Amino acid sequence: MIQRQLQQVEEKQRQLEERGVMVEKALRGEADYWGDSNDSQDIELHLEGLGKLDNPALMQQWFQLVQQKNSLVRYESELMIFARELELEDRQSRMQQELRERMAVDDHLKEEWELLEERLILEEMLEVVEQRDSLVSLLEEQRLQQRQEDRDLEEVIMTRGLGLNWT
């Protein structure tokens, strides 16, 4: 499921990139641009080669594309973290099962190497738990950074008087 979602994100990113290139060219006056009308928030523009950096509607379209691309990059990053989390969860589950089976036998009936293997499994399980904790911390850190990036982008937009509706 995660792999399918990653493929969808990749396709959406490609589409946004293509649209972004068109908008940037129009902003520089290098090309005409007709905005896609598939999304009700898109603005249909035909600039007849008169694109300028001070065109508010075109700048708004460009900032919306940047915001959409940032959202997709963030979602892709979260999916990658979730995939890694699932791998670690599966690994931890397998180690717990193996450890339960080993611990079903009384310690006084085990060889020294069997006790050592149990300790190694426990150490590995602790390492996996630490890795999972670090993924949670990474995800939270990314979300805080993303909020700051959103505020920064919104500030740029507001200083240019482009008042976007952030969703």
Side-chain angles (χ1 to χ4, degrees):
M1 182 177 88
I2 290 176
Q3 185 62 33
R4 186 176 63 246
Q5 289 175 333
L6 285 169
Q7 289 169 344
Q8 291 171 348
V9 165
E10 186 177 318
E11 176 60 23
K12 288 177 185 176
Q13 284 177 327
R14 187 189 60 73
Q15 292 169 356
L16 283 175
E17 184 69 28
E18 289 173 4
R19 289 175 53 207
V21 168
M22 289 188 291
V23 170
E24 284 184 29
K25 285 182 179 181
L27 279 168
R28 291 191 300 259
E30 297 173 8
D32 295 345
Y33 175 70
W34 285 87
D36 294 339
S37 58
N38 297 344
D39 186 333
S40 62
Q41 293 181 346
D42 284 344
I43 300 169
E44 288 193 28
L45 300 170
H46 183 58
L47 300 175
E48 299 176 358
L50 298 175
K52 296 180 183 175
L53 288 176
D54 62 347
N55 183 307
L58 193 55
M59 287 298 293
Q60 181 179 11
Q61 180 74 10
W62 186 80
F63 279 117
Q64 285 175 339
L65 289 171
V66 168
Q67 193 270 338
Q68 290 171 3
K69 185 173 182 185
N70 287 347
S71 292
L72 284 174
V73 168
R74 293 168 183 170
Y75 183 58
E76 179 182 40
S77 177
E78 286 182 9
L79 287 174
M80 298 296 286
I81 290 172
F82 292 146
R84 179 67 179 141
E85 170 69 21
L86 287 175
E87 290 173 11
L88 290 172
E89 187 178 310
D90 182 55
R91 183 173 164 201
Q92 182 178 353
S93 177
R94 283 183 276 120
M95 287 187 296
Q96 285 174 333
Q97 181 61 35
E98 182 179 350
L99 190 59
R100 270 194 292 273
E101 291 169 6
R102 289 175 178 269
M103 294 182 98
V105 177
D106 287 340
D107 283 351
H108 70 281
L109 299 175
K110 297 176 187 172
E111 298 287 328
E112 186 63 34
W113 64 271
E114 291 173 308
L115 293 170
L116 178 62
E117 282 185 352
E118 283 181 13
R119 282 193 296 272
L120 291 174
I121 291 171
L122 276 172
E123 289 174 14
E124 189 175 351
M125 283 177 58
L126 287 174
E127 183 179 311
V128 168
V129 169
E130 289 173 2
Q131 289 175 8
R132 290 178 70 188
D133 285 346
S134 71
L135 286 177
V136 170
S137 296
L138 174 63
L139 191 57
E140 182 59 29
E141 182 180 309
Q142 284 181 347
R143 288 180 178 158
L144 290 172
Q145 181 180 356
Q146 292 163 1
R147 284 187 202 116
Q148 182 60 47
E149 290 170 359
D150 285 345
R151 285 190 294 268
D152 292 346
L153 183 58
E154 187 173 357
E155 184 178 321
V156 168
I157 291 168
M158 297 314 248
T159 59
R160 295 194 53 83
L162 298 174
L164 295 179
N165 294 327
W166 294 91
T167 56

